[in-house]
Amino acid sequence: MDKPIGKVRIRLSTLETSRVYTHTYPLLVLSPSGVKKMGELHLAIRFTTSSLINVLFTYSRPLLPKMHYAQPLSIVQQEILRHQAVQLVAQRLGRMEPPVRREVVEFMSDARSHLWSMRRSKANFFRLMQVFSGVIAAGKWFGDVCQWKNPVTTVLVHVLFIMLVFYPDLILPTIFLYMFLIGLWNYRFRPRFPPHMNTRISYADVAHPDELDEEFDTFPTSRSPDLIRMRYDRLRHVAGRIQTVVGDIATQGERLQSLLSWRDPRATAMFLIFCLITAIILYVTPFQVIELCLGFFWMRHPRFRHKVPSAPANFFRRLPAKTDSLL
């Protein structure tokens, strides 16, 4: 069988028009023994187009034909279709001169990407955390504002909040102007070369040898029963943590539904009275006053805060969920 020597992926949309890129890309291969550098590939790339307008218009066009959106395929059908496509391409390239082996087609098309891999699961988890890192950082920053850790910043936030409340027409322009300024600021840090295979975000450089051996195992497995039992127990542990997180999310949604379902008669009655009183207050009180009161209450000084959870949080956590009916 042909042994893989690595590959390089370059997305055309990451290339500037009519610019020549000359860069050396390492050819990295992940094997059961770890990451290995097989060599380097020196490329000179230039992306040209006859019509820039057509290229910009391509961004607005759908990725697939209309039929795929009118009658979408299920996940199982997509997997079957992907497998059949790999087989057809391998058969056709196998009849070429010189022939291309099947393992080459499977390696280039990532035919094993749907199989379980502890390393890939960790990489996807930390990718997800990095995606939400901006939201988490903004939440921490706003928490510091509410805690008055920097009084100057908190006062400025209060002034900005008052301006947006009394001039709501400035909310959307302020948001888009802020994103525009962030984009201009990030222009200095734009990548100079197309990205290549990254062992750090793939968690290939810190993967455990047993995790790599599991990833390169055949399907069905060819390992010993004791090793399979150990890996199965580890998989149960990871799946149990995922199951707990999914259950917690479902519990919060079921508590929201129980507000009006009368599963807890007293809680639903109190919530309905709260909704009625809130509707009357919102009708007779200007909305700007409500926004100011809520904003100032949310950003109040720590001396006016309690260490125990608030009454609405306690009320929500006591609402029933379907966990009481699970076996």
Side-chain angles (χ1 to χ4, degrees):
M1 296 179 63
D2 293 331
K3 295 183 179 180
I5 62 173
K7 54 187 172 183
V8 176
R9 295 193 193 97
I10 299 177
R11 185 178 290 270
L12 295 181
S13 60
T14 61
L15 304 177
E16 298 181 10
T17 307
S18 300
R19 176 184 171 184
V20 178
Y21 294 87
T22 56
H23 191 58
T24 300
Y25 295 90
L27 293 176
L28 304 175
V29 172
L30 184 65
S31 63
S33 59
V35 181
K36 185 178 180 181
K37 183 178 180 180
M38 306 297 293
E40 293 181 347
L41 190 64
H42 191 83
L43 296 179
I45 310 168
R46 184 164 66 99
F47 175 71
T48 59
T49 176
S50 58
S51 175
L52 182 60
I53 297 178
N54 291 338
V55 174
L56 298 178
F57 178 70
T58 305
Y59 282 86
S60 63
R61 299 178 60 185
L63 297 175
L64 301 175
K66 184 179 179 180
M67 180 185 66
H68 291 270
Y69 299 98
Q71 297 179 352
L73 299 176
S74 63
I75 301 298
V76 177
Q77 292 175 331
Q78 292 180 19
E79 294 295 336
I80 296 175
L81 184 62
R82 184 178 295 109
H83 176 72
Q84 293 177 350
V86 171
Q87 300 300 321
L88 291 175
V89 173
Q91 293 176 4
R92 182 171 181 177
L93 295 181
R95 296 192 297 265
M96 304 293 289
E97 188 61 37
V100 179
R101 300 287 296 268
R102 178 183 297 272
E103 56 268 19
V104 178
V105 178
E106 293 179 351
F107 176 73
M108 296 301 297
S109 58
D110 292 333
R112 293 172 53 92
S113 61
H114 64 284
L115 298 179
W116 162 260
S117 169
M118 181 70 73
R119 176 194 60 83
R120 192 177 293 113
S121 300
K122 291 181 179 178
N124 290 333
F125 172 76
F126 286 104
R127 283 175 55 203
L128 186 65
M129 293 299 296
Q130 187 176 7
V131 168
F132 290 99
S133 62
V135 179
I136 297 174
K140 291 182 178 178
W141 173 82
F142 188 73
D144 294 340
V145 170
C146 296
Q147 294 294 331
W148 288 72
K149 292 186 177 181
N150 190 340
V152 177
T153 303
T154 303
V155 171
L156 292 177
V157 171
H158 278 77
V159 173
L160 178 62
F161 174 71
I162 294 174
M163 290 177 56
L164 295 180
V165 168
F166 284 98
Y167 300 97
D169 297 339
L170 297 177
I171 296 178
L172 290 179
T174 302
I175 294 176
F176 283 98
L177 180 62
Y178 181 67
M179 290 191 294
F180 173 76
L181 295 177
I182 291 178
L184 287 182
W185 177 263
N186 291 336
Y187 181 77
R188 300 189 306 166
F189 311 102
R190 68 188 186 279
R192 302 295 181 178
F193 299 99
H196 55 83
M197 300 299 176
N198 193 321
T199 58
R200 178 169 298 180
I201 65 174
S202 302
Y203 272 77
D205 53 344
V206 295
H208 193 272
D210 182 70
E211 297 175 359
L212 295 177
D213 183 71
E214 180 186 18
E215 182 173 349
F216 285 92
D217 189 10
T218 58
F219 188 84
T221 181
S222 58
R223 298 296 186 265
S224 62
D226 294 336
L227 185 61
I228 299 303
R229 184 180 297 107
M230 185 274 294
R231 292 176 178 173
Y232 176 67
D233 293 338
R234 181 179 61 188
L235 182 60
R236 290 178 61 189
H237 175 70
V238 175
R241 296 173 60 183
I242 298 176
Q243 170 184 285
T244 302
V245 174
V246 174
D248 292 340
I249 297 175
T251 299
Q252 307 307 321
E254 291 169 354
R255 286 173 177 171
L256 285 175
Q257 293 178 346
S258 65
L259 287 173
L260 300 174
S261 64
W262 291 93
R263 282 197 64 191
D264 188 337
R266 289 169 294 275
T268 302
M270 288 188 292
F271 181 71
L272 294 181
I273 295 174
F274 169 78
C275 291
L276 179 61
I277 296 175
T278 303
I280 297 174
I281 293 176
L282 293 176
Y283 179 76
V284 300
T285 307
F287 190 68
Q288 293 176 339
V289 176
I290 300 295
E291 288 181 316
L292 285 176
C293 294
L294 291 178
F296 287 147
F297 176 77
W298 193 265
M299 295 184 291
R300 65 191 184 276
H301 197 273
R303 68 177 58 183
F304 300 110
R305 297 176 180 270
H306 299 285
K307 294 183 179 180
V308 297
S310 61
N314 296 329
F315 175 81
F316 183 77
R317 292 172 183 174
R318 291 179 179 276
L319 291 175
K322 293 183 179 179
T323 53
D324 305 330
S325 303
L326 292 177
L327 294 177

